[in-house]
Structures are given as structure tokens and as C-alpha cells.
Amino acid sequence: MDFGLVLQTDPPASGVVELMKRAEGQGFTYGWTFDSAVLWQEPFVIYSQILAQTERLVVGPMVTNPGTRTWEVTASTFATLNDMFGNRTVCGIGRGDSAMRVAGRKPNTLARIVEAMHVIRDLAEGREADLGGTTIRIPWVKDGKLPVWMAAYGPKALALTGEKADGFILQLADVYLTEWMVKAVRDAAEKAGRDPASITVCVAAPAYVTADDSPEALAHAREQCRWFGGMVGNHVADLVSRYGEHSDVVPEELTEYIEQRHGYDYAHHGRSGNPDTAFVPDEIVDRFCLIGPVQAHLDKLSALRDLGVDQFAIYNMHDAKEATIDAYGEHVIPVMG
């Protein structure tokens, strides 16, 4: 199992770079960041510094979207980084929840995501692509390689991931839901004539390592990670609006907890202490995240690996960033990697 680190690009950028360097030193192989131009600093600028100061780390957005950048610019940016640092990027892509809504626009449609995936990947790898009726190619790309991984929750998005993407990003670590969603992606891949095993599965969620399993330690960890249930709740709310509250195509295990959700302020997006996530119960924090002593993390990661998860990416937004990286490097990655 590979391990990734997910950060917001809060200033100073040097702090993001240092955490990524620390992660590589502890055995992490992927470095991810949010991509929301209004809320955080520009990630692709920071990727160049991360790549320059690491040796093996693969970097990319979790996730970019096809609406805030033109597709040829996105492809050229990835291709430039790959030319400079040796194909060490990955393109995570999704509908653009925070990036689009903060700018007053609706998230992108699934059809637009699929079209963008093809164009961005083809251009970044040196092939021709149809850009709105104009066929173009980036002439200087040589031996470029850009895996494109799609973030998904709902049935249509999961199916398209299986049909079109190189990887699947699932932003929660619930074992039951992971099994259900990985199966949906792989079934779609098989129906499309693809090898289901060729699709990389990445589960991304907060992790918080405690010294023990005392009520006090677990309560603190939950409060540091409760924001994540609110972030996932935004996507679940979109699914409910599309499919209904009691749909056969979306598990109730995913939808039932948002009944007490009341609005969301993106000024607090992805941050511990988010006041808009009080509706998230402890059970959801425990199911969606990894919290507790090292053994609890090993047990859950083993279960996820048995379901076909290839990478666990830690959302590292809490008061123990360095300690979490070090705990995983010392006690988890040597066992699970």
C-alpha cells in the first residue's frame, strides 16, 4: 500500500514544502494538495518547489476541476512539471465543489469532467486532442505521462470512473462504503472491457494517532477531524438532491447523517473547528476517519487493503501534522507499505 499526504496550500508555501519533504523522508510516496484558487495559494507553483526539493514524491491536486482553468493550460502545466522533474505528477480531478462555488458557479457536470480528462491526458502525453472543435497538440512534450484519477461518490460518477479514469479517489475511509464503491468502479470497468485491477484505488481521509484509547484522547481526535464529515456532507447533499433521500442507488449509510445539516460556509472549508460541522456525529467521524492508537490504524488499513485499496492519503489538517507524519513513518508504513 502506498501512502500520500494531503495539505491545503495555506501560506507560507515554505511550510507546505517542508511538510512534504518530511513526508517523503518518512516513506510517503504521494503529495497532494487542495486546488481552490480563492481559498488557498496556487498549488502548481508550489508543486515546482516540492518536486525540486524531493527525489521521488509524486504530486498532484486532490482535486482540480475542468472549470477554473482552461484544459490546455492544465495539460501544459502538468507537462512542464513532468519535463522538469521526470513524470512525477498525477491529475486528480472532480466536479470542483469549493473552487466553483466560492466563485459563484455551479460544480461541473460529469460529462464535462470526462471530456476534460481525455483532453488533458492526451495533451500532457503529447497526443492530439480536440479542444472545442480545434485539434491541437503540444509539440514539445516528449515521453510525457499523466495518470488521471477521478473523485467520485454517486453511481454515475463511479461508473464513469471505472470506464474512463486511471484511478479512483474516494474521500472517506468507511470500510462498508469503500467496499460498495470499489465494487461499483470495478464492475463498470469490466463492463467497459477494461481490466478492473488496472484502476488505482486511493482512499483519502483524516488520520489522527493518539497515545492511547482513553475517552479524552479519542474525544480530542474526533474534534480535530469532525470537519471532514462536513466536507463529505456537501457531496452527499448533492447526491440527495439528485437521487432523493431514500434512493436505492445511494446507500443510507452515506446519506442518513446529513439530516441535521444546515448550510455551509466555505471560509471554514477543510479546517478543524469548522462551526458548520456540529451536525456530524461521533460515529461518522470514527467511520470516515482513522483515529486512535497505532493498532487501530493498522487494523483499518488492513481491512481497506483487503478491499483493493492501493493508497491511503492522509488529510493532514489538524493540530498534530508533524506528529501524524512521523507516527505513520515509524509505525504504520513499515508494516503496511
Side-chain angles (χ1 to χ4, degrees):
M1 177 180 274
D2 286 329
F3 287 85
L5 185 71
V6 190
L7 299 174
Q8 295 167 337
T9 51
D10 289 316
S14 59
V16 178
V17 175
E18 288 303 315
L19 285 172
M20 291 297 188
K21 289 167 59 179
R22 189 185 194 112
E24 182 180 67
Q26 290 287 14
F28 288 73
T29 52
Y30 281 75
W32 302 92
T33 73
F34 283 29
D35 178 16
S36 191
V38 175
L39 297 176
W40 300 288
Q41 292 187 331
E42 173 54 39
F44 286 92
V45 175
I46 299 172
Y47 295 158
S48 66
Q49 291 295 311
I50 296 170
L51 290 166
Q53 297 184 46
T54 58
E55 297 179 1
R56 300 171 302 281
L57 208 65
V58 176
V59 305
M62 188 177 282
V63 292
T64 194
N65 73 87
T68 54
R69 309 173 196 274
T70 60
W71 303 349
E72 72 273 23
V73 170
T74 300
S76 180
T77 304
F78 276 114
T80 300
L81 291 172
N82 284 336
D83 187 65
M84 292 172 67
F85 299 105
N87 289 336
R88 289 168 55 200
T89 67
V90 57
C91 177
I93 194 167
R95 297 180 65 220
D97 176 48
S98 65
M100 295 295 284
R101 285 184 166 127
V102 165
R105 300 192 289 268
K106 293 182 179 180
N108 295 271
T109 64
L110 293 176
R112 184 171 172 82
I113 293 173
V114 170
E115 185 182 2
M117 284 198 301
H118 284 295
V119 170
I120 292 168
R121 180 168 47 206
D122 283 347
L123 291 176
E125 294 185 347
R127 295 184 294 275
E128 289 185 344
D130 183 342
L131 194 67
T134 300
T135 300
I136 64 171
R137 183 177 70 87
I138 301 176
W140 48 263
V141 174
K142 307 296 182 187
D143 302 318
K145 185 66 176 175
L146 182 66
V148 180
W149 297 6
M150 183 172 169
Y153 290 108
K156 291 183 180 179
L158 293 168
L160 288 170
T161 301
E163 294 167 4
K164 305 294 185 180
D166 300 307
F168 167 40
I169 296 173
L170 174 57
Q171 291 164 311
L172 54 80
D174 179 80
V175 174
Y176 172 82
L177 291 171
T178 297
E179 181 176 20
W180 184 83
M181 293 184 183
V182 169
K183 183 179 186 302
V185 169
R186 288 184 167 163
D187 286 349
E190 189 169 8
K191 289 179 182 178
R194 304 181 68 196
D195 178 6
S198 68
I199 301 171
T200 303
V201 177
C202 173
V203 162
Y208 199 102
V209 181
T210 60
D212 53 46
D213 58 359
S214 66
E216 295 78 13
L218 295 178
H220 179 77
R222 290 187 184 110
E223 290 310 310
Q224 290 295 307
C225 298
R226 198 175 303 278
W227 64 266
F228 184 67
M231 187 183 83
V232 174
N234 294 329
H235 303 289
V236 175
D238 285 344
L239 293 177
V240 169
S241 67
R242 179 182 294 270
Y243 297 104
E245 292 186 10
H246 303 288
S247 170
D248 293 336
V249 297
V250 183
E252 287 192 9
E253 287 83 355
L254 186 60
T255 62
E256 60 188 8
Y257 84 96
I258 67 164
E259 293 177 357
Q260 302 302 315
R261 178 179 179 270
H262 301 288
Y264 191 85
D265 183 352
Y266 281 91
H268 309 289
H269 189 58
R271 300 188 185 280
S272 60
N274 186 335
D276 298 321
T277 59
F279 73 94
V280 180
D282 287 352
E283 178 192 3
I284 288 295
V285 180
D286 292 348
R287 288 175 57 178
F288 284 14
C289 307
L290 275 71
I291 64 172
V294 167
Q295 190 59 50
H297 292 248
L298 292 172
D299 291 344
K300 193 164 191 178
L301 289 168
S302 295
L304 292 170
R305 184 174 61 183
D306 290 345
L307 296 175
V309 174
D310 301 295
Q311 179 184 153
F312 177 61
I314 297 175
Y315 277 111
N316 205 29
M317 298 91 180
H318 47 55
D319 65 359
K321 294 181 178 68
E322 291 85 356
T324 300
I325 293 169
D326 293 347
Y328 264 67
E330 294 168 17
H331 304 296
V332 176
I333 293 175
V335 177
M336 300 298 304

